[in-house]
């Protein structure tokens, strides 16, 4: 097994997920298999875990156990893949969102500002859209939109303008070439700035917000009443979507209320507050510092 990363909130997430050792569970983000291995270790012989991952590198970490099956697909196709396997409902779904340390630490994948390499950022290496395509072909208005919406960057229109000006001279192909365009950013703000910009590009490349919405919506169908939904997110855009969905089953707008002012939501939160890692875990695994976990229980159908 290649090392991807230490799984974040491992015990806490699996403790929250496993309510039936003979049940059927889904790990939407297999990666290095840390969470999946822990889940499988807690299942009885008749239990089953289906794990999703679209990164072909993840296949190297496949678990050799009859209770386990790896589905090489984006988790946005959760429901269809389960139905194909004649599974209509499961006891719980876990998703540890974000980019694995393995992807960040592989320079040619283009996820990290720490290395120079081609602007890529594809989680599915067979996908057509890459970060290089975005920075060289997107209209200025579209670049500004993704920097503002997905990176929460101020002055996004100016940032987009700088890219358009630079690419008119020469295509922007590498991480270093992109960083050089913004050499005017003060050193003290550089790390945060590029983290936000790369987050915006990565989300656009992988259509992450739409995929998350698709998966959450399908969870309302595939998790049986009383089953658990456990989501670990790493930035506020994801966490807001998850929080809102758990609250009322929607991502925007207001739910329809009955004559008494009540609405039906498919899930209810198990805890009133978000769960974060203990300081000891953050010290051992810096990736955990921004993690937020939310746990929800599938309501009875009404």
């Amino acid at each position: 097994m290649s090392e991807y990363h230490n799984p974040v909130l491992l015990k806490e997430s699996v403790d929250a997920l496993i309510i039936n050792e003979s049940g059927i569970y889904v790990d939407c983000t297999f990666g290095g298999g840390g969470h999946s291995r822990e889940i499988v270790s807690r299942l009885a012989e008749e239990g089953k875990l289906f794990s999703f991952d679209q990164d072909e590198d993840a296949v190297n970490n496949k678990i050799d156990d009859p209770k386990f099956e790896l589905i090489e697909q984006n988790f946005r196709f959760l429901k269809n893949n389960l139905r194909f396997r004649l599974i209509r409902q499961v006891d719980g779904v876990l998703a540890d969102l974000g980019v694995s340390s393995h992807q960040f630490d592989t320079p040619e994948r283009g996820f990290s500002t720490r290395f120079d390499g081609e602007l890529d950022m594809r989680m599915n290496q067979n996908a057509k859209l890459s970060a290089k395509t975005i920075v060289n072909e997107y209209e200025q208005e579209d670049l500004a939109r993704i920097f503002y919406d997905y990176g929460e960057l101020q002055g996004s229109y100016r940032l987009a303008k700088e890219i358009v000006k630079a690419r008119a001279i020469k295509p922007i192909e590498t991480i270093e070439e992109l960083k050089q365009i913004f050499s005017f950013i003060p050193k003290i703000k550089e790390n945060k700035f590029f983290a936000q910009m790369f987050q915006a590009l990565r989300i656009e490349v992988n259509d992450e917000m739409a995929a998350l919405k698709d998966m959450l919506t399908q969870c309302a169908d595939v998790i049986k009443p009383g089953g658990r939904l456990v989501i670990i997110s790493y930035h506020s855009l994801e966490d807001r979507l998850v929080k809102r969905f758990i609250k009322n089953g929607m991502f925007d707008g207001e739910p329809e209320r009955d004559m008494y002012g009540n609405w039906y939501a498919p899930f209810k939160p198990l805890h009133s507050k978000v769960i974060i890692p203990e300081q000891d875990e953050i010290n051992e695994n810096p990736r955990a510092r921004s993690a937020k976990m939310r746990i929800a229980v599938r309501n009875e159908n009404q």
Side-chain angles (χ1 to χ4, degrees), residues 247-248 254-265 302:
K247 179 183 177 184
N248 59 23
E254 287 297 323
E256 290 186 20
R257 299 171 185 264
D258 63 21
M259 61 186 295
Y260 303 106
N262 303 312
W263 71 77
Y264 170 67
Q302 295 182 356

Side-chain angles (χ1 to χ4, degrees), residues 80-252:
N80 282 349
N81 276 282
L82 292 177
R83 291 284 168 88
F84 179 75
R85 290 160 176 81
L86 306 180
I87 306 295
R88 298 194 69 82
Q89 288 196 309
V90 301
D91 293 89
V93 173
L94 167 70
D96 176 6
L97 306 173
V99 183
S100 72
S101 298
H102 168 79
Q103 290 168 325
F104 271 128
D105 293 341
T106 306
E108 58 267 27
R109 300 296 297 275
F111 284 102
S112 176
T113 60
R114 291 181 291 125
F115 312 105
D116 192 20
E118 190 169 292
L119 281 165
D120 192 332
M121 303 191 196
R122 292 172 300 164
M123 290 183 180
N124 177 355
Q125 291 166 279
N126 296 314
K128 292 181 180 179
L129 183 65
S130 70
K132 183 165 68 173
T133 306
I134 290 170
V135 298
N136 286 290
E137 297 181 14
Y138 269 34
E139 297 291 340
Q140 185 170 314
E141 292 76 11
D142 292 323
L143 286 170
R145 171 185 56 79
I146 67 170
F147 291 154
Y148 184 79
D149 289 349
Y150 299 152
E152 300 181 291
L153 283 162
Q154 299 300 314
S156 60
Y157 193 83
R158 182 200 171 189
L159 301 177
K161 189 175 181 181
E162 293 292 337
I163 287 176
V164 171
K165 187 166 68 175
R167 76 190 189 192
I169 300 169
K170 177 184 176 296
I172 305 158
E173 298 186 341
T174 68
I175 291 168
E176 197 55 41
E177 287 172 357
L178 179 62
K179 289 171 72 175
Q180 284 301 316
I181 295 169
F182 302 103
S183 57
F184 57 84
I185 299 295
K187 284 287 182 187
I188 195 169
K189 296 182 178 179
E190 203 173 64
N191 286 346
K192 183 180 180 184
F193 170 80
F194 284 118
Q196 289 173 279
M197 174 167 283
F198 272 54
Q199 173 182 295
L201 289 170
R202 192 198 76 227
I203 289 173
E204 179 70 11
V205 167
N206 299 290
D207 198 20
E208 290 178 31
M209 304 312 289
L212 177 57
K213 288 180 179 179
D214 287 348
M215 183 267 285
L216 290 171
T217 302
Q218 290 168 48
C219 281
D221 290 329
V222 304
I223 297 177
K224 63 180 61 171
R228 300 285 178 87
L229 173 65
V230 181
I231 307 287
I232 303 170
S233 60
Y234 294 88
H235 57 75
S236 58
L237 299 178
E238 291 172 337
D239 184 56
R240 281 199 293 267
L241 274 186
V242 174
K243 181 182 179 181
R244 184 71 190 273
F245 181 76
I246 289 173
K247 179 183 177 184
N248 59 23
M250 300 179 69
F251 302 109
D252 47 49

Side-chain angles (χ1 to χ4, degrees), residues 50-65:
F50 296 97
S51 293
F52 285 74
D53 207 299
Q54 61 183 333
D55 187 340
E56 59 190 33
D57 287 350
V59 178
N60 298 325
N61 303 312
K62 194 182 295 187
I63 302 168
D64 183 15
D65 192 299

